[in-house]
Amino acid sequence: MKNNKTGLVFFPAFDWAISPTHPEREERLLYTRDQIFEEGVLDLPEIEEYAPRLATIHDIARVHFCVPRVQSQVTEAHLIAAGSATLLADAIVHGELKNGFALVRPPGHHAMRVVHGNRGFCNINNEAILVEYLRRHHGIKRIAIVDSDVHHGDGTQDIFYHDPDVLFISFHQDGRTIYPGTGFPNELGGPGAYARTINIPLPPGLGDETFHYVVDNLILPILEDFKPEFIINSAGQDNHFTDPLGSMRFTARGYAEFTRKLNPHLAVLEGGYAIETALPYVNLAILLALAGHDYSYVREPEWPGTMPENPERVARVQRVVEQLRNVWENRDRVDLDKIFGTGTFYQRRKHIYYDTDYIEEEQLERVRRCPNCPGYITIDSRADHGYGHPNRVFCVSIPFTACGACQTEAYDAYEQARGLAQYQFVYLQDKSTDTFLAFDRDKGQEWVSEGPKVGE
Amino acid sequence: MYIGIDVGGTCTDAVLLDRGLVRAMAKVPTREDLLSSLLEALDEIMKGVEGELVERVVFSTTVITNLIAEKKYDPVGLILMPGPGLSPSLYRFPTDTHIIQGAIDYRGREIIPLRLTEVDQAAAELAARGYRKVAVVGKFSCRNHRHEKEVAARVLWNYPDWHVELGHQVAGQLNFPRRVVSTYLTCATREKYQFFVRSVQEAISQRGIKGAIFILKADGGTLPLESSLEVPVETIFSGPAASTLGVQALTPPGETAVVVDIGGTTTDLALILSGQPLLASRGARVDDMLTHVRALAVKSVPVGGDSVVERVGKDIIIYSERLGAPYCLGGPLPTPTDALRVLGLTRLGDVDRAREAMQMLGAPLGLSVAEVASRVTTRVIETITREIEAMFSRWEQEPAYRVWEVLQKKKVRPSTVVGVGGGAAGFVSQIAARLGCYPVIPPYAPVANAIGAAVARPTLQVTLRADTEQGIYIIQEEGYQGKITERSFNEEKALELAKEWLCKRAARHGLEDCVEGLEVTRREVFNMVRDWVTVGRLIDVTVQTRRGILYHVGAGGTSE
Ligand SMILES: [Zn+2]
Ligand SMILES: [Zn+2]
């Protein structure tokens, strides 16, 4: 019998906050709790609430290079948020649930592959941890992440930029007007994963109607072509018309309709800081949409009705949609050498600012352009905390589907970096064997983390 | 001396306790006329005891459960203000339901005003269809009851003789659909319950008893009979609560145990965790409707000593129904009791007839009488054991909303299996063996329920919610809304205020003595921050009188 239930993990982390008055604080999901409880939603037979569980340190190490180690960048609350997503994914894969909603704090989509501290309220990336977990534990290969937060999901983009099997689509307020200032249509993925990253910047003030134009004319057709085995919605609620950080005009109903059309396997809460005027209603509407219930009675008190859109802005969106559809349709015909050059390695320099922890990071990322696999990646990262010497680390990442040559070369790169005095820490992340190494120069020690074998 | 009486479906049990020792016990059949059974049991245990010596009488009863199950109450109409949210089509209440405009939000602010013409119209339609009882319930009425009161006033202005029940007075917790059902059932049963309470009071005073009379609630606490008139629905399901408390009283303090109450057709399971019975995390299901009624977590498994056993093909199946007594007691079909008789695990009934029953089942399969008997008992034991395991894992799977709650979750497994009820003796040792526990059949097991009623403590609780930004506070259980005048109102002051209210409430119910040793069961404070500035606090505190039992029985009356 096919189960038709929607799973929910509600983990508001009522005893965890970045700081007492920070927008990402205990109060964030308080009114959502009240609304969901009062509606009696959890008594509906189609909805099943699960107790949260903790992700393992190994689940994090499979994705991130946490400096100096995982334990120093994550609290238990982070492990619970990430673990709740993997818990629901297990139940979905096993057929206990048709879909799920990890309504959890803290969020994660600004956390990049290398983690020196907290960025945009995020330390570890819940969706990325989920993706690697699905591949390792359930052998799921093709996965799509659609990010509906008002902010560009730059962390998720960073982690999957060279991964041809993960399609990352983010629509968000134009980066010239909002944190983190990225997410433009020309950011399309590296040479081995071209057009697997799709960014749709939206002009501020845009409402439901144009939002759905993008969904219908770009996002859904691309997903149909890509044929993912699993769809994750990075469900940020800060596109709402009352959000204090964003300037968009989406409504709870707009979000619910999007959820119904996208039909994700799992929605994972990201941002959303209108804790009274948006979150109780948007979260409820999304939950109802996932469960296949009527959400048309969910209406925010300040609901503005449908608003006329600025035609000039709508035209701008239509041009971006057209341009990206072109990119998508011609993705296999483009001359990658023209875009990325012809070297054995493709490399890019990145400057990353940690807005919460005031860290400036400089990165040199290199990916091997391998004809047989997505290629291994190395990152030379230097983080300036504003005091003392900057931290310099070297990271090597071997993809899940690495070829033997890349694997050997990557291990050599790790050994070589261990011999260089400038790196305080050297890391190796071998996703193909699920093994992670970290070398601490001062102590002259190496840690090894080997995950549970598949099926355990 | 204390008296406990459990008016069950088949038997009415009574005990007389004298400082922790059982002085007398009685078991009489429950008749249609509950009062006469009650008096008969009372008379039997009171032989030679003066009524004046009885300090208190506690009873548990099925009277409300039966009223509801048999729908022996007047029709009740609903006037609801659900506001925005779930589609009203998802609410399926078993009566005429009128949905009107008006909405309150989660902080108790009005977001949509009422339209009194809609109230008039709803009431007129209900009147035309013959209703004179109506339950009025709004979403978030527990955060602000203004709309409910306005609707009630309007209805009563039109129909002064109607009985109107308001949601916020019945249930203060969040969950609108459950509040509707609880209010509906309260409205439906209040009059009949009143009549019942009056006759009980009359009967008891006829027997010269001047002590306090209490009634057991589904959550294992007691209420003075008079006060229970306010909350008739809370007295449902007090039977399983009674036997759980009885086991608590008959076993050493602090133990983690499974209570297995094996009756004729069902087996009731309950958990005692570190000495305290486990409460269900959500309200009880009544007549297949979800309510706010707090109850002990009791799981009813549809198998008992009288369940019908049949052979189907090569399988032997135990059905959930009863078709009379076990075969060995002259019944028509084989039952688990017959299997127990054959295996020598009970002395009930005629052994030859029991063997005959097993023979009927086993002959076509070529199984010996003993083989069939052990197969039948194994089936029963497996079913019950599986349910016990499921109960523990359900308890472990309870959601948690705080980091510390998630971290402290650990696997707890029982150390003992305590059997009560008719079929207990035959099954409990094997159930315990499967779970790796000690089997216990306490003394007085057949009247454990009456003992549980006798030693149950009165319970009262008060939940205070303060919103310092709006300068208001609410006492959930009293449906009271007040203003905060102090500028420096904080968590400690909230706690003081809650305790004051609990004392007031205790005085009103004549329970002044139980305010000692108050417990704070919930304490939540949220800073409300707007634009990086703290504008106020939401403070929630719940205080309650000590839960549990007055003393352990048979252990010299030590107080817990
Ligand atoms: Zn955001
Ligand atoms: Zn390769």
Side-chain angles (χ1 to χ4, degrees), chain A residues 10 13-15 21 23 25 27 30-31 33-34 37-39 42-43 49 51 276 288 293 297-298, chain B residues 84-86 106-107 109 139-140 143 174-176 178-179 282 397 399 401 403-404 527 529-530 532:
Chain A
F10 180 57
F14 282 151
D15 53 353
T21 58
R25 63 178 179 276
E27 191 192 357
L30 182 58
Y31 312 107
R33 172 193 70 177
D34 290 353
F37 281 19
E38 177 70 352
E39 297 290 350
L42 301 180
D43 288 335
E49 189 180 12
E276 286 205 72
L288 290 175
H293 280 305
Y297 286 82
V298 181
Chain B
L86 237 60
Y106 43 83
R107 279 186 62 199
R109 298 168 297 204
K139 200 173 279 174
F140 287 115
R143 296 279 165 87
L174 295 176
N175 196 322
F176 170 69
R178 286 179 184 249
R179 192 177 314 117
R282 297 187 198 171
Q397 278 304 312
Y401 303 131
V403 175
W404 72 263
N527 289 321
V529 182
R530 302 294 172 263
W532 304 85

Side-chain angles (χ1 to χ4, degrees), chain A residues 413-423 426 439 441:
Chain A
Y414 170 72
E415 282 307 323
Q416 206 182 342
R418 276 185 51 154
L420 298 174
Q422 66 262 41
Y423 300 119
V426 183
F439 175 71
R441 173 158 319 286

Side-chain angles (χ1 to χ4, degrees), chain A residues 315-430:
Chain A
R316 245 165 74 196
V317 173
Q318 285 170 343
R319 278 198 299 278
V320 172
V321 165
E322 202 178 326
Q323 178 198 343
L324 285 168
R325 275 202 76 145
N326 253 319
V327 168
W328 175 256
E329 273 154 22
N330 295 309
R331 65 194 179 281
D332 298 327
R333 286 188 283 275
V334 292
D335 183 355
L336 292 173
D337 290 349
K338 238 185 189 161
I339 307 171
F340 298 103
T342 52
T344 328
F345 286 90
Y346 165 72
Q347 67 176 49
R348 51 178 188 156
R349 282 187 186 282
K350 288 187 278 184
H351 174 87
I352 298 157
Y353 179 58
Y354 291 68
D355 62 319
T356 320
D357 285 348
Y358 312 112
I359 302 166
E360 304 273 357
E361 183 191 357
E362 297 293 341
Q363 272 192 14
L364 176 65
E365 179 193 83
R366 302 176 87 220
V367 58
R368 171 92 162 92
R369 294 187 63 184
C370 176
N372 302 316
C373 80
Y376 73 94
I377 299 163
T378 65
I379 299 168
D380 181 335
S381 156
R382 202 186 70 175
D384 192 342
H385 292 253
Y387 49 81
H389 288 291
N391 246 339
R392 191 154 172 204
V393 302
F394 190 77
C395 315
V396 182
S397 179
I398 301 173
F400 193 68
T401 49
C403 69
C406 279
Q407 204 180 9
T408 313
E409 237 181 82
Y411 273 88
D412 289 346
Y414 170 72
E415 282 307 323
Q416 206 182 342
R418 276 185 51 154
L420 298 174
Q422 66 262 41
Y423 300 119
Q424 269 168 280
F425 297 93
V426 183
Y427 303 94
L428 179 96
Q429 179 184 65
D430 184 354

